[in-house]
Structure formats: structure tokens, C-alpha cells
């Protein structure tokens, strides 16, 4: 580590420059960490999507999917829900920040707040140390106090400052003004450097922080693909959902036909129907579905014939795409009821919002 050997004012100035060089990477890192958290909080405040729990976010995503009417997006949501949630959040964050100077606002705000915490640390350390007649190693004591004051603001390890702790700086008050000057230079330098920052500059992305707020169990029902609604990952007890979906969404068909199953799991467990996942597997009555073992045995599926209008609309609207995707047909026992075909998108969304 380089040593500072010059004396007097030059020594103090060199000390301040050296210390600010050490502060710079820690401050830069802290700026981005603070910005990421601030942006995530701002998204929660600004958008209804992110104000509630994951169930609320899912309603917003289903609304978005219906409005876009893009089957490929639906397919990604149905097959990889966790990935789709994360991409949706990332897209909303980027859209919020792009093109309106908002990222620069967050940058300026974060840098100013952190800078505003460092300056008082300089003053307080100076105040504590300047009248200590009992200590000759005032600069070492000043560094102790300075690092302690900054501990909650930036990560500046005291051990990295060993090379300057033995400097004979007697004019502590001049040190304070020299630090103020060097910190102003540092702030201006960072402001200029970070003016062109974008989301790629973050080590921890704002959308990642936001996504963590909506983490939980992502286990999918083996029959219909609905995602477990438990808000805890690796939770105790069974997986469950409020509403199951038509099994056609995962390509289930009636045995011996190419007819898709439009029934939902929660109505089938009250029926006399049986199922199997592979040709070599035994048939299992839906009533005793747990006998089939994992993964279905880890689910709690209560008898319930309630089906969301949303999925009735979806099946009717994307009938052809679903048939092409699974190379099966909505015929026979899988014939789409006429009543489903009369459901409008707005009716489906209105029910979704009420639920």
C-alpha cells in the first residue's frame, strides 16, 4: 500500500485524496445498491401490479395477457410461470425507467443522500478527535471514528486504511476542509461518470429485488398446470390453489381419443373418472388421486366445480392454437360448451378482478 511522506498542508491534502480514492468504489457500489432498492420501492408505490401479494400480481399479468392476445406469451406463462413473472416485472421496470430521465433522478438522489451522510461523518470525527490531548495518534483515532460513522452508509473496511493511519496530521480542522474539498471532487466525478449508467450497471437488478417480494412456491399442478398459491418456498403441508384450470391447458386427453379434457381437476376428484400419466402406469381413480404418488400426492385438491370465466374464454378464443400445440381436438367429451364461447374478454376480466 502506498505511503504518504510529504508534510504539512501537502500531506493533509494527499491524505484526503488517498482516502477519497478508497471511498470511491465503496460509494459507487452503495449508490447502485440504494438505487436498486429505491427503484423497487418506487415501482410498488407507482403501479397497482406491485402493491399487493403474488395473487394480485397474477391477476394483473392475466389481464395483460388477455389484452395482448398473444398466444406465445400465454404459452410461456403456462409452461414457465416463474420465468414469465420475472420477465414481466423486468419489462415493467425497464419501461418505467426508459426515456424519461427517471434513472438519472434516482442516481442523483442516491448519490446526494450518501454524500450527505459522508460529510457529517467527517465533521463528527473531527469534532471528537481535535480536542483529544491524550492521544498522539490522532489520525488513527480519526479514521476509527470515520469508519464507524460510515458503517451504515458504505462498506469502507478500516483495515484498508492502514497505510495512512500513522500520518502526523496535527491540524485536524484543516483535514476536515481538505476532506470536504476532495469529497466534492469525488461527487462531481461520480456524477459525471454515472450520467450514462443504465440497468446493466447494477450488480443487483431492481427487478430482481422486486421479484423477491413475490417469491413463494412455484410448484405446478401435474394435471392442469396451476401454480401453488403458498407464499413460502419449501412450505410445510400440501400444495394447493384456489382455482384449478381446464386440463386441456397441459394437453390432457381422454383415453383412446385425441379429445382434449376441458374439465378441471377439482371437479374430476368428485367424479368416477380415472387417470394415468404414462402407458405403463396403473389407472388411478381421481377420487383417490394421492394413491398415484408424487407429485400429485403432494397436492390437496378439494372437490369444487367452480371454474374461472377467464379460462373458459381463453380455451374458446385460442381453440385452434391449443389444438395445434397438442395435436389434439376439442371434440367429443372435450367439446367446448356454447356458453363458454359467448363469454367476452371483458366479462372474463371483470370476474377476475372481483375474485
Amino acid at each position: 500500500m502506498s505511503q504518504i511522506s510529504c508534510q504539512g498542508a501537502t500531506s493533509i491534502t494527499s491524505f484526503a485524496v488517498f482516502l477519497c480514492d478508497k471511498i470511491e468504489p465503496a460509494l459507487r457500489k452503495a449508490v447502485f445498491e440504494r438505487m436498486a432498492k429505491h427503484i423497487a420501492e418506487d415501482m410498488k408505490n407507482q403501479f397497482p401490479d406491485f402493491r399487493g401479494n403474488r395473487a394480485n400480481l397474477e391477476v394483473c399479468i392475466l389481464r395483460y395477457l388477455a389484452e395482448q392476445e398473444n398466444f406465445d406469451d400465454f404459452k410461456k406463462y403456462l409452461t414457465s410461470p416463474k420465468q414469465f413473472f420475472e420477465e414481466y416485472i423486468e419489462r415493467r421496470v425497464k419501461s418505467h425507467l426508459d426515456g424519461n430521465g427517471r434513472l438519472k433522478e434516482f442516481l442523483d438522489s442516491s448519490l446526494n443522500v450518501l454524500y450527505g451522510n459522508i460529510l457529517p461523518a467527517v465533521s463528527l470525527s473531527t469534532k471528537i478527535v481535535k480536542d483529544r490531548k491524550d492521544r498522539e495518534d490522532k489520525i488513527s483515532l480519526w479514521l476509527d471514528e470515520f469508519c464507524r460513522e460510515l458503517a451504515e452508509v458504505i462498506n469502507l473496511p478500516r483495515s484498508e486504511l492502514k497505510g495512512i493511519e500513522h500520518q502526523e496530521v496535527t491540524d485536524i480542522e484543516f483535514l476536515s476542509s481538505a476532506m470536504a474539498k476532495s469529497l466534492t471532487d469525488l461527487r462531481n466525478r461520480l456524477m459525471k461518470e454515472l450520467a450514462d449508467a443504465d440497468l446493466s450497471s447494477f450488480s443487483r437488478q431492481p427487478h430482481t429485488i422486486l421479484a423477491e417480494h413475490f417469491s413463494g412456491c412455484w410448484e405446478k399442478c401435474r394435471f392442469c398446470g396451476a401454480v401453488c398459491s403458498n407464499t413460502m418456498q419449501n412450505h410445510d403441508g400440501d400444495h394447493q390453489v384456489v382455482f384449478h384450470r381446464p386440463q386441456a391447458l397441459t394437453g390432457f386427453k381422454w383415453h383412446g381419443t385425441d379429445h382434449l379434457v376441458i374439465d378441471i381437476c377439482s371437479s374430476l376428484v368428485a367424479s368416477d373418472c380415472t387417470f394415468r400419466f404414462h402407458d405403463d402406469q396403473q389407472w388411478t381413480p381421481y377420487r383417490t388421486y394421492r394413491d398415484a404418488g408424487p407429485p400429485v400426492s403432494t397436492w390437496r385438491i378439494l372437490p369444487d366445480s367452480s371454474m374461472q370465466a377467464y379460462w373458459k374464454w381463453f380455451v374458446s378464443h385460442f381453440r385452434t392454437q391449443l389444438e395445434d400445440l397438442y395435436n389434439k381436438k376439442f371434440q367429443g367429451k372435450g367439446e367446448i360448451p356454447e356458453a363458454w364461447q359467448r363469454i367476452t374478454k371483458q366479462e372474463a376480466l371483470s370476474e377476475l378482478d372481483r375474485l
Side-chain angles (χ1 to χ4, degrees):
M1 187 170 288
S2 56
Q3 300 283 330
I4 302 170
S5 56
C6 43
Q7 300 298 312
T10 306
S11 176
I12 292 173
T13 302
S14 299
F15 173 92
V17 170
F18 181 92
L19 182 52
C20 283
D21 284 346
K22 289 294 181 185
I23 291 171
E24 183 170 344
L27 178 56
R28 185 186 292 106
K29 184 170 184 281
V31 164
F32 281 109
E33 285 175 354
R34 190 178 192 282
M35 278 173 70
K37 289 176 186 171
H38 193 178
I39 290 167
E41 284 302 314
D42 186 62
M43 294 296 293
K44 284 190 210 173
N45 293 330
Q46 295 276 350
F47 298 99
D49 308 37
F50 308 119
R51 281 184 201 148
N53 55 18
R54 197 172 81 185
N56 172 72
L57 175 57
E58 180 153 33
V59 168
C60 294
I61 285 177
L62 290 175
R63 173 175 283 281
Y64 164 82
L65 285 167
E67 287 168 351
Q68 297 299 309
E69 289 194 28
N70 184 316
F71 184 72
D72 285 338
D73 282 347
F74 267 108
K75 190 166 66 172
K76 185 180 286 188
Y77 163 78
L78 292 169
T79 55
S80 307
K82 183 174 187 285
Q83 183 185 344
F84 191 88
F85 267 67
E86 290 168 352
E87 289 176 358
Y88 176 83
I89 293 169
E90 181 177 359
R91 195 159 51 241
R92 294 304 303 269
V93 169
K94 284 182 175 176
S95 174
H96 182 51
L97 295 175
D98 278 354
N100 59 6
R102 195 173 289 271
L103 190 60
K104 177 113 177 28
E105 286 176 26
F106 284 113
L107 169 66
D108 292 350
S109 169
S110 295
L111 187 52
N112 287 333
V113 166
L114 292 166
Y115 175 76
N117 279 308
I118 298 174
L119 274 183
V122 171
S123 301
L124 192 61
S125 303
T126 302
K127 186 177 179 183
I128 291 171
V129 172
K130 71 174 184 176
D131 297 324
R132 289 288 297 270
K133 309 292 185 192
D134 59 320
R135 292 283 293 264
E136 290 186 7
D137 58 337
K138 284 190 176 180
I139 202 65
S140 179
L141 181 61
W142 188 93
L143 287 168
D144 289 344
E145 293 296 333
F146 183 66
C147 288
R148 189 178 300 119
E149 284 298 315
L150 284 186
E152 297 296 314
V153 184
I154 64 172
N155 180 27
L156 182 66
R158 176 67 177 85
S159 58
E160 290 189 9
L161 307 177
K162 295 284 186 186
I164 54 171
E165 66 180 11
H166 301 301
Q167 295 304 307
E168 291 189 19
V169 176
T170 50
D171 191 343
I172 293 293
E173 294 215 38
F174 182 68
L175 169 61
S176 185
S177 62
M179 280 298 297
K181 162 93 171 52
S182 286
L183 283 168
T184 300
D185 292 343
L186 169 57
R187 178 179 171 276
N188 292 338
R189 191 163 66 248
L190 277 179
M191 195 75 83
K192 190 174 179 181
E193 174 202 324
L194 301 180
D196 297 325
D198 56 29
L199 282 171
S200 66
S201 309
F202 290 79
S203 58
R204 189 157 177 255
Q205 295 286 339
H207 58 81
T208 303
I209 295 173
L210 195 54
E212 285 167 3
H213 177 70
F214 301 101
S215 62
C217 183
W218 291 99
E219 193 72 25
K220 293 194 294 181
C221 172
R222 179 66 177 80
F223 296 114
C224 73
V227 177
C228 175
S229 56
N230 199 298
T231 55
M232 297 290 292
Q233 203 171 8
N234 303 318
H235 58 86
D236 293 332
D238 293 329
H239 302 295
Q240 56 186 337
V241 295
V242 179
F243 292 103
H244 285 267
R245 304 166 180 173
Q247 292 188 358
L249 270 57
T250 56
F252 258 66
K253 69 179 181 71
W254 291 104
H255 179 61
T257 75
D258 64 349
H259 301 163
L260 288 159
V261 178
I262 62 170
D263 303 66
I264 54 175
C265 329
S266 47
S267 64
L268 286 167
V269 296
S271 73
D272 293 324
C273 295
T274 58
F275 70 90
R276 67 180 183 185
F277 295 114
H278 311 288
D279 287 342
D280 59 347
Q281 185 184 18
Q282 284 188 325
W283 290 96
T284 303
Y286 271 101
R287 288 181 187 277
T288 57
Y289 67 89
R290 288 184 192 264
D291 292 347
V296 293
S297 59
T298 62
W299 279 77
R300 183 170 183 246
I301 307 174
L302 298 175
D304 182 3
S305 60
S306 306
M307 190 192 305
Q308 291 169 291
Y310 186 93
W311 295 113
K312 294 177 182 178
W313 166 81
F314 172 76
V315 166
S316 301
H317 189 75
F318 290 104
R319 171 181 186 146
T320 304
Q321 290 91 330
L322 287 165
E323 288 180 335
D324 290 345
L325 177 63
Y326 294 115
N327 196 25
K328 299 180 180 75
K329 297 292 182 184
F330 286 105
Q331 292 176 357
K333 290 181 76 173
E335 187 72 43
I336 298 173
E338 192 181 328
W340 290 23
Q341 298 173 48
R342 290 197 299 267
I343 296 171
T344 66
K345 179 166 69 175
Q346 192 49 54
E347 285 170 345
L349 290 175
S350 295
E351 185 201 73
L352 196 67
D353 290 338
R354 289 196 302 275
L355 294 172

